[in-house]
Amino acid sequence: PTQPVPTKPPPFSAQGLTEDDVIDFTPEIKRQALEVFKKYDSGPIFTPGSLRGTLTVPGDGGGAHWMGASVDPESGIAYVSSKAYSIVLGLAKPDGRFESDMDYVIRMGRASGPGGIPLFKPPYARITAIDLNTGTHTWMKPAGPGIENHPLLKGLNVPPTGGGYWAFLLTTKTMLIVGDHGNLRAVDKATGETIASVPLKDESGKSFGRITGCPLTYMHDGKQYIVAAVTEGRATGRVVGLTLP
């Protein structure tokens, strides 16, 4: 009763899961997805775990989680990168594998639709521009390649679905810089349209890896640089810097 529920701005990511959110690319895909959906409990955000397992979106690593947001102080627009996937939040009696003096412990798992595609409708990763002056969304764009080329969707006109790794944001005076999937993209702040994309590769054409943190920019001796943290797998990380010749 005392928890405030914001009315503005609207959510920038999925807030729970209902039957209306289940994928419906084709009648058959929807039928198979509903079979999985009905095995579990579900509901709006904060629906608790259950013995059957509760389908939870945006998931333990979803929402704005790792990426945070970037704000343009001149326009009052906040740019938020988010990601969503479904987890199963289950309850179980403690056993030999889990020591606890509680009646139940939490067990988390994953649930997916036919062919491994997500159970719920896209986009699965997105960038949302939020006007902090009005509490409204200015635009939303899927971020990164998603499932649009999945074999089950062959022949269907599926728009970009967003997915993969997170998108990391940097707001500058003239544009929004987006780091995702080993690329730095220049994005129009007003529309979300991509102006240009630069792959992060060495002189031989080998990718430095995927971007794992928000880019930053600085000036040195009258020259502007943009740097980003990248990683290959889990062990090798580096910082890559770019500037104009």
Side-chain angles (χ1 to χ4, degrees), residues 24-168:
D24 56 0
F25 297 113
T26 68
E28 178 59 20
I29 288 176
K30 182 177 181 179
R31 183 192 66 79
Q32 294 181 41
L34 283 173
E35 287 182 356
V36 178
F37 175 82
K38 291 178 179 178
K39 292 179 181 178
Y40 303 100
D41 294 323
S42 60
I45 192 169
F46 304 130
T47 299
S50 66
L51 293 175
R52 288 210 317 158
T54 300
L55 287 170
T56 303
V57 177
D60 56 333
H65 191 61
W66 179 267
M67 306 78 62
S70 185
V71 178
D72 184 341
E74 293 185 349
S75 66
I77 303 293
Y79 301 94
V80 183
S81 173
S82 62
K83 186 177 177 182
Y85 54 89
S86 59
I87 64 168
V88 177
L89 186 61
L91 301 178
K93 289 283 189 181
D95 56 25
R97 293 176 298 167
F98 302 97
E99 295 184 5
S100 176
D101 58 0
M102 306 295 287
D103 292 335
Y104 294 94
V105 294
I106 294 175
R107 288 183 181 173
M108 291 201 304
R110 294 286 181 90
S112 58
I117 60 179
L119 278 173
F120 59 100
K121 297 171 184 174
Y124 306 114
R126 66 183 79 185
I127 300 171
T128 306
I130 304 174
D131 189 332
L132 300 179
N133 303 295
T134 62
T136 58
H137 290 181
T138 303
W139 53 260
M140 184 279 294
K141 295 290 184 181
I147 62 169
E148 49 267 28
N149 295 319
H150 192 283
L152 280 181
L153 307 181
K154 187 176 181 179
L156 301 178
N157 186 22
V158 178
T161 58
Y165 297 110
W166 296 297
F168 296 93

Side-chain angles (χ1 to χ4, degrees), residues 208-210 212 229-238:
F208 286 119
R210 63 184 179 90
T212 54
V230 299
T231 183
E232 294 178 273
R234 293 182 177 273
T236 305
R238 68 183 79 185

